[in-house]
Amino acid sequence: MRILAFGDSFVIGAGDPDHLGWIGRALAGRREITLYNLGVRRETSADIAARWRAEALPRMVDHEPMRIVFSFGCNDCNLEDGALRVPTAKSLLNARAMLTEAARLAPVLMVGPPPTAEPDVVVRAEELNEHLKVLAARLQAPFIDVFRPLAADGLWVREAADWDGAHPGAAGYQRMADLVAAHPAWRTFTGVD
Amino acid sequence: MRILAFGDSFVIGAGDPDHLGWIGRALAGRREITLYNLGVRRETSADIAARWRAEALPRMVDHEPMRIVFSFGCNDCNLEDGALRVPTAKSLLNARAMLTEAARLAPVLMVGPPPTAEPDVVVRAEELNEHLKVLAARLQAPFIDVFRPLAADGLWVREAADWDGAHPGAAGYQRMADLVAAHPAWRTFTGVD
């Protein structure tokens, strides 16, 4: 199986000393899976929407099962010149377009955004997470919500605050990986169950 | 620092149960480095030449040091319908174009191809490795030769033979990572020395 993961700095695992991120950690030991980690730092849903297809095509093959993962949202919720980088309505349009179009190529799954240590951003990210969850349900795309468990647990936000305000270390990424890997939707999606 | 790594299945780490590949392992503990691993399975120098620039652009930033790594060659040496997938002269033209053009964007380093367990391919890959080394020297691009140490050691080829004939497991990738990480060119390139 080959998994293409499109998203932001959390997908690529910025700040992870092991260069795995949550998705590399969630696939630990799964030697038969090739992971194409296509997270890019600072990218919003609009940035990912603009490039995902061009990067997916050279990585798609017919002779092995393919899967596509999306995970984004936090960067949409950051302010730039006093305005949201991407307004919520537009984030949802971007997400709908990506989930719908990618589903024509391969089974698709979305992982919601994690919390951050920045007080204003985290409120908006939690709202966007809820909207994305509703959208995914409407599109019948599996969605894994990690926001509240990571926020409640505190480890993620604490590690992020100790580093650059946004990105945790090995333990935070591992915590998120554990949430994802244990989720029934992930297990079905990656062929464990 | 951000490192963009373009290459083939060895770069992406196909068959590595830890989803690190040699380059993820060579950067272990370097939390300040974001690794964009843009290896793609089965790709020849021609395939990589066709996409590397489009994938580099969204990942380049002005505010952090950038580095570009290339590593390819084995797939060029495979036969398809009785002919080399990429003739040697063309492989070298592709390599020259990539090394030259990428050097305008960021410091560039090339890692030569590893050996394989396939008898005919390995002979051609060793020849191509030598040609690439000469080319890189002419272009004053640092080049790390891993071919002979990995072939002589036997672990890489043995693990590859036990799996799919081409890709080793964790120990083989770690061996290659150790060779790369200890190389003076790598240490300078990644800011250790």
Side-chain angles (χ1 to χ4, degrees), chain B residues 16 26 43 73 75 89-90 125 146-147 189:
Chain B
D16 185 346
E43 283 206 343
N75 292 324
K90 184 66 183 146
V146 295
F147 197 95
F189 185 75

Side-chain angles (χ1 to χ4, degrees), chain A residues 1-5 22-35 64-69 107-111 142 144 177 179-193, chain B residues 19:
Chain A
M1 180 182 288
R2 305 191 187 188
I3 297 182
L4 279 62
W22 58 264
I23 193 162
R25 293 171 183 275
L27 294 170
R30 306 288 305 276
R31 190 181 184 187
E32 78 288 3
I33 294 180
T34 300
L35 171 63
E64 254 198 283
M66 304 290 306
R67 299 285 185 271
I68 300 176
V69 175
V108 170
L109 177 144
M110 179 155 197
V111 176
I144 299 179
L179 291 168
V180 170
H183 197 287
W186 183 259
R187 294 172 60 87
T188 303
F189 185 75
T190 62
V192 176
D193 293 333
Chain B
H19 303 287

Side-chain angles (χ1 to χ4, degrees), chain A residues 2 6 10 45 63 78 119 124 136 150 158 164-165 170 173 177-178:
Chain A
R2 305 191 187 188
F6 293 98
F10 301 114
S45 62
H63 61 274
N78 279 313
R124 292 192 293 268
L150 289 181
R158 205 159 54 243
D164 63 2
Y173 279 118
D178 292 343

Side-chain angles (χ1 to χ4, degrees), chain A residues 22 69-72 74 109-116 122-137 141-153 156 175-186:
Chain A
W22 58 264
V69 175
F70 289 100
S71 185
F72 52 79
C74 285
L109 177 144
M110 179 155 197
V111 176
T116 86
V122 78
V123 171
R124 292 192 293 268
E126 182 164 16
E127 273 177 25
L128 181 56
N129 179 58
E130 292 302 314
H131 285 300
L132 289 168
K133 198 193 315 188
V134 170
L135 173 71
F143 182 93
I144 299 179
D145 183 353
V146 295
F147 197 95
R148 269 175 230 162
L150 289 181
D153 168 83
W156 177 284
R175 193 64 56 94
M176 180 163 167
D178 292 343
L179 291 168
V180 170
H183 197 287
W186 183 259

Side-chain angles (χ1 to χ4, degrees), chain A residues 15 17 19 27 29 31 34 41 59, chain B residues 15 17 19 27 29 31 34 41:
Chain A
H19 303 287
L27 294 170
R31 190 181 184 187
T34 300
R41 295 182 71 162
R59 292 167 173 85
Chain B
H19 303 287
L27 294 169
R31 191 182 182 187
T34 299
R41 297 182 71 163

